[in-house]
Amino acid sequence: MKKVEAIIRQSRLDWVKNSLVKVGIKGMTVSEVKGFGSQKGRYIYRAEEEVVDFLPKVKVEVVVPDEMVEKVVEAIVSVARTGEIGDGKIFVTHVETAIRIRTGERDEKAI
């Protein structure tokens, strides 16, 4: 199993959610986060550059079977990419174990 974490623009969340549902994702975790990267805390608002310490973003997390990773990544990239600095990042990490607390199911049965 793999965990796919995508840090994206807030304005792209609904598009990402709908795209993930279309490829078969039945659940996800979404968090409001702040940070900066290449964008360096800068954005253009009403034709003026604003500088802030951290920019608001959204983190979407899903755990999927190994064979679904590429579909999930492509589903996110296809709707989250604007081509501008600040589109975000995707991280894929290994998940050793998943446990559904209610039933005790483990691993892929728990996701």
Side-chain angles (χ1 to χ4, degrees):
M1 294 175 298
K2 300 284 192 257
K3 180 183 194 180
V4 179
E5 293 179 75
I7 299 172
I8 60 170
R9 297 175 185 271
Q10 292 176 321
S11 62
R12 297 295 175 148
L13 177 58
D14 284 339
W15 294 5
V16 167
K17 180 193 75 139
N18 292 336
S19 187
L20 289 172
V21 168
K22 284 181 186 174
V23 297
I25 297 302
K26 295 182 169 108
M28 65 190 72
T29 300
V30 176
S31 306
E32 292 182 9
V33 297
K34 291 183 180 185
F36 68 89
S38 299
Q39 200 172 1
K40 306 234 187 312
R42 285 179 258 160
Y43 66 97
I44 305 298
Y45 180 71
R46 295 188 178 176
E48 291 190 28
E49 185 177 55
E50 297 281 330
V51 178
V52 296
D53 289 336
F54 296 101
L55 293 171
K57 300 286 183 176
V58 174
K59 180 164 64 168
V60 177
E61 299 172 273
V62 294
V63 177
V64 297
D66 290 348
E67 62 272 8
M68 284 193 69
V69 170
E70 287 307 315
K71 275 188 194 179
V72 167
V73 168
E74 181 53 36
I76 295 168
V77 169
S78 69
V79 295
R81 177 184 287 153
T82 68
E84 301 291 324
I85 291 175
D87 280 348
K89 297 261 191 314
I90 297 174
F91 303 100
V92 179
T93 56
H94 179 73
V95 173
E96 191 171 316
T97 302
I99 302 161
R100 186 184 314 266
I101 294 171
R102 178 178 54 87
T103 63
E105 293 170 301
R106 290 183 166 265
D107 301 324
E108 289 189 18
K109 290 180 182 178
I111 58 172

